[in-house]
Amino acid sequence: MLNKAILMGRLTRDPELRHTQSNMAVASFSLAIDRDRKGPNGERQTDFIDCVAWGRQAEFVKQWFTKGMLAIVVGRIQSRSWEDRSGNKRVSIEINVDEVSFGETKKSRESNGYGGGSSFDSGSQIRPEGNDFGSQAPAPSFDLSVGSSDFAELSDDDDSDVPF
């Protein structure tokens, strides 16, 4: 089965960081995402999507994201059943965050009035697994420009050392 959601929207509030009984960090935040089409009266329609990040991902979100910032979230849609204080059964649909990235550069955020204070550029992200850079390190970048290679071109008739 496939369950993958990719969302881009603005945070509706500052992320809220809590810890479980086993001291696992959990950050909750919501994204406001405009729909492509306007409503019947020409008004813009917006969806508000709840997101939950865990562990280092949660600490990253709490440290670097604030209300109004544009975020790109990759994760899984999940439902959660619970009972409110009045005893009514409730169901919540939310995104369990696997990755989160900045949706705009620091310069763009500042010009839009969303200061934030982050030193990351667009595309910086943290993944919960397989990332050996701390939660404050930007994603690595590589120079792939033409002519920057240390490899030499082989002539077409140089197939003598190919093992197959």
Side-chain angles (χ1 to χ4, degrees), residues 72-106:
I72 301 168
V73 169
V74 178
R76 300 176 314 279
I77 300 172
Q78 66 183 27
S79 61
R80 185 171 47 93
S81 300
W82 51 282
E83 196 171 293
D84 67 12
R85 291 181 179 152
S86 303
N88 300 317
K89 292 188 182 220
R90 303 284 186 170
V91 176
S92 297
I93 305 295
E94 58 197 11
I95 303 299
N96 191 331
V97 176
D98 292 327
E99 301 173 28
V100 63
S101 304
F102 295 105
E104 56 194 344
T105 64
K106 180 180 178 185

Side-chain angles (χ1 to χ4, degrees), residues 59-158:
E59 293 165 356
F60 174 78
V61 168
K62 176 61 179 169
Q63 181 175 1
W64 297 105
F65 287 85
T66 58
K67 178 181 177 177
M69 289 178 65
L70 189 63
I72 301 168
V73 169
V74 178
R76 300 176 314 279
I77 300 172
Q78 66 183 27
S79 61
R80 185 171 47 93
S81 300
W82 51 282
E83 196 171 293
D84 67 12
R85 291 181 179 152
S86 303
N88 300 317
K89 292 188 182 220
R90 303 284 186 170
V91 176
S92 297
I93 305 295
E94 58 197 11
I95 303 299
N96 191 331
V97 176
D98 292 327
E99 301 173 28
V100 63
S101 304
F102 295 105
E104 56 194 344
T105 64
K106 180 180 178 185
K107 185 176 181 179
S108 177
R109 282 193 305 273
E110 288 171 350
S111 68
N112 290 331
Y114 302 116
S118 164
S119 62
F120 288 112
D121 289 330
S122 178
S124 296
Q125 59 186 338
I126 184 170
R127 292 184 177 98
E129 301 168 13
N131 186 344
D132 294 331
F133 309 113
S135 64
Q136 297 181 9
S141 62
F142 302 97
D143 181 12
L144 299 176
S145 58
V146 176
S148 66
S149 174
D150 291 333
F151 297 101
E153 277 296 315
L154 294 176
S155 63
D156 291 335
D157 60 350
D158 190 18

Side-chain angles (χ1 to χ4, degrees), residues 14-15 30-31 34 50 57 65 130 137 142-143 157 163:
D14 289 343
S30 293
L31 293 179
D34 289 336
D50 292 327
Q57 191 82 32
F65 287 85
F142 302 97
D143 181 12
D157 60 350

Side-chain angles (χ1 to χ4, degrees), residues 44-65:
R44 177 177 286 172
Q45 294 181 318
T46 303
D47 292 307
F48 298 92
I49 310 295
D50 292 327
C51 301
V52 178
W54 296 85
R56 285 182 35 214
Q57 191 82 32
E59 293 165 356
F60 174 78
V61 168
K62 176 61 179 169
Q63 181 175 1
W64 297 105
F65 287 85

